[in-house]
């Protein structure tokens, strides 16, 4: 059978891996490099373990694991069996994980080795396996004995390939259902749009539990059979060291600002780079300009989200304009509408809506929420505010959703406010994001105390173990009352304006 006849995205990846079997795939400074053949072999063995655990097409595999070559193999093994990969942030606490387990009902849950005892009570009916960053854990013990699975499950283009959780405005996370066609179409478009070359080497320092690191970055390399410099996380010295061997780097804006802070970060260090790509959060015009001044490179900014993967991109050839996210990618339709869904003219600010093969199939087990966020003609309402200029170039100017993006991670204020409001010494709270030099936006809790001021350690203590630490407020401010509009709604914009300079000293 022609492997490409199977719409399972892994068919396309496997064909490339076979054609590049002896090529390096995951170059891991300080650890063993993996060839494409090694990745295939590891993923076939892990698929054997998952199959023994009873995984069938459509079943979910929940993964809360450190970044490693085996974590990539686990993702590919899940696709091989036609099951859906459900990656979650390693920072999530047991309480948060309990929700993802209950909601996604995985047949297998793979957690970090050190988390087994803590996660067991929330694993439900799932088989709990573990994976250590250094290769330890029950998954690989079993894989050493398992019968490798060489076949790739037949899937339809519209079948589920992954569920990516994205926080909801009500505080309840929604699982965005991504199909094989979503993954395939977006990866193919990006390879072409960014001119991926056979001698490219991607510097991969992003986490592999969000679409940026897991899909955008990984797929570009895997679908072209090119190597990645695969770093366990963004650590500025390690990135500096790897840069001279790379040709492409993808990152959130914090990667770029942290590199700029290093005096020894020079143009020579990126002499081999052909493309720097930024996304997941706004890249400021200052960072764009400082980067160009230091390196001679104009960063290519693109715009995406978990529900749609990549929507727009600045061009590879042609003007990359700071403060804009470029043009809709081929096949992606994008329009700017008013609150009633009426199309706006060029230059007018409204909500961004998108339609195309990249747009997800809906929210997992939330048909009402899905219906609310899709128009009748199939356009998805992103919740981002933007405008399109005369030649079709898109700029993002804000968000209609109450969301903070800090270092590329999303934080929904409601989730934090709900826990702070439970404190007996708090009357009410409002959580906002204000400009932060390192993270783009920093989380601030504005609190109305019942009596004595509420101190930051008390707030942290309440959130500890319940909410991932990156969501914790970096600062707690006490106020006698919250500004409200005539309808009684808290005016977050007024608060953001009031505290705009709070982190200017940070
Ligand atoms: C870590 N911390 C953060 C944070 N990351 N706080 C706020 N925002 C963040 N993003 C906190 C930790 O809780 C901890 O606090 C302290 O900082 C140190 O933790 P760390 O793990 O050592 O942090 P660091 O390594 O410095 O991480 C920063 C970072 C990382 C920017 C490298 O956050 C990162 O890799 N971000 C990338 C996110 C990403 O991939 N987003 C893509 C989403 S997909 P404490 O209190 O414990 O000391 C998407 C779609 C699209 O948006 O378009 O791509
Ligand atoms: P997530 O839900 O984690 O996938 O985050 C997606 C959100 O990140 C989008 O809805 C945007 O608000 C934001 N985003 C992604 N890329 C950009 C960008 N280049 N500029 C501004 N915001 C961005």
């Amino acid at each position: 059978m022609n492997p490409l006849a199977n719409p399972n995205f892994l068919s396309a990846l496997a064909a490339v891996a076979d054609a590049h079997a002896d090529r390096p795939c995951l170059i891991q400074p300080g650890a063993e490099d993996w060839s494409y053949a090694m990745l295939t072999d590891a993923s076939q063995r892990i698929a054997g373990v998952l199959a023994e655990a009873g995984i069938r097409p459509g079943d979910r595999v929940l993964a809360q694991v450190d970044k490693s070559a085996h974590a990539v193999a686990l993702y590919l093994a899940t696709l091989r069996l036609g099951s859906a990969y459900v990656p979650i942030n390693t920072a999530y606490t047991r309480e948060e994980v309990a929700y993802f387990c209950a909601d996604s009902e995985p047949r297998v849950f793979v957690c970090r080795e050190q988390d087994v005892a803590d996660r067991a009570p929330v694993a439900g009916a799932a088989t709990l396996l573990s994976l250590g960053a250094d290769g330890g854990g029950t998954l690989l013990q079993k894989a050493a004995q398992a019968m490798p699975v060489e076949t790739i499950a037949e899937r339809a283009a519209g079948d589920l390939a992954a569920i990516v959780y994205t926080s909801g405005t009500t505080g309840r996370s929604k699982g965005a259902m991504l199909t094989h066609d979503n993954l395939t179409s977006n990866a193919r478009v990006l390879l072409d749009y960014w001119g991926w070359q056979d001698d490219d080497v991607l510097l991969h320092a992003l986490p592999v539990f969000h679409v940026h690191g897991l899909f955008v970055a990984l797929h570009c390399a895997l679908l072209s059979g090119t190597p990645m410099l695969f770093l366990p996380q963004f650590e500025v010295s390690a990135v500096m060291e790897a840069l001279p061997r790379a040709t492409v780097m993808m990152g959130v804006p914090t990667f770029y600002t942290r590199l700029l802070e290093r005096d020894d970060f020079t143009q020579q260090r990126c002499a081999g780079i052909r493309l720097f790509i930024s996304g997941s959060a706004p890249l400021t015009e200052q960072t764009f300009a400082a980067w160009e001044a230091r390196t001679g490179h104009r960063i290519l900014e693109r715009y995406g989200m978990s529900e749609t993967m990549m929507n727009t991109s600045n061009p590879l050839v042609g003007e990359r304009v700071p403060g804009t996210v470029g043009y809709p990618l081929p096949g992606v339709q994008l329009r700017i509408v008013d609150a009633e869904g009426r199309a706006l003219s060029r230059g007018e600010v409204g909500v961004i809506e998108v339609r195309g093969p990249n747009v997800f199939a809906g929210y997992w087990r939330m048909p009402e929420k899905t219906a609310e966020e899709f128009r009748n003609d199939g356009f998805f309402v992103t919740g981002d505010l933007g405008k399109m200029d005369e030649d079709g170039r898109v700029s993002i100017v804000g968000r209609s959703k109450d969301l903070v993006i800090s270092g590329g991670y999303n934080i929904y204020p409601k989730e934090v406010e709900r826990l702070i409001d439970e404190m007996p010494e708090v009357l009410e709270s409002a959580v906002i994001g204000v400009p932060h030099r390192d993270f783009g936006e920093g989380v601030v809790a504005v609190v109305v105390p019942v009596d004595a001021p509420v101190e930051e350690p008390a707030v942290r203590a309440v959130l500890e173990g319940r909410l991932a630490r990156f969501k914790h407020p970096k600062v707690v401010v006490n106020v006698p009352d919250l500004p409200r509009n005539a309808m009684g709604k808290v005016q977050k914009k007024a608060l953001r304006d009031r505290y705009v300079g709070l982190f200017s000293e940070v």
Side-chain angles (χ1 to χ4, degrees), residues 165-167 210-211 278-283 301-307 324-325 382-384 396 398-399 401 403 405 408-410 412:
Y165 277 95
T166 147
S167 307
H210 284 311
V211 306
S278 175
S280 308
L283 180 76
E301 186 173 9
R302 74 359 169 235
Y303 156 59
M305 59 195 302
S306 301
E307 288 93 334
T324 81
V325 291
T382 63
D384 290 311
I396 297 177
R399 297 168 210 135
K401 48 196 176 190
L403 163 72
I405 303 184
Y409 286 152
N410 290 4
Y412 271 85

Side-chain angles (χ1 to χ4, degrees), residues 439-463:
F439 291 125
E441 288 184 318
V443 175
V444 175
V446 184
V447 170
V448 181
V450 171
D451 193 0
V454 178
E455 303 296 342
E456 196 196 303
V459 172
R460 277 199 166 251
V462 163
L463 302 180

Side-chain angles (χ1 to χ4, degrees), residues 403-419:
L403 163 72
V404 179
I405 303 184
S406 173
Y409 286 152
N410 290 4
I411 297 145
Y412 271 85
K414 190 97 202 140
E415 208 183 0
V416 190
E417 289 161 1
R418 192 170 51 85
L419 296 183

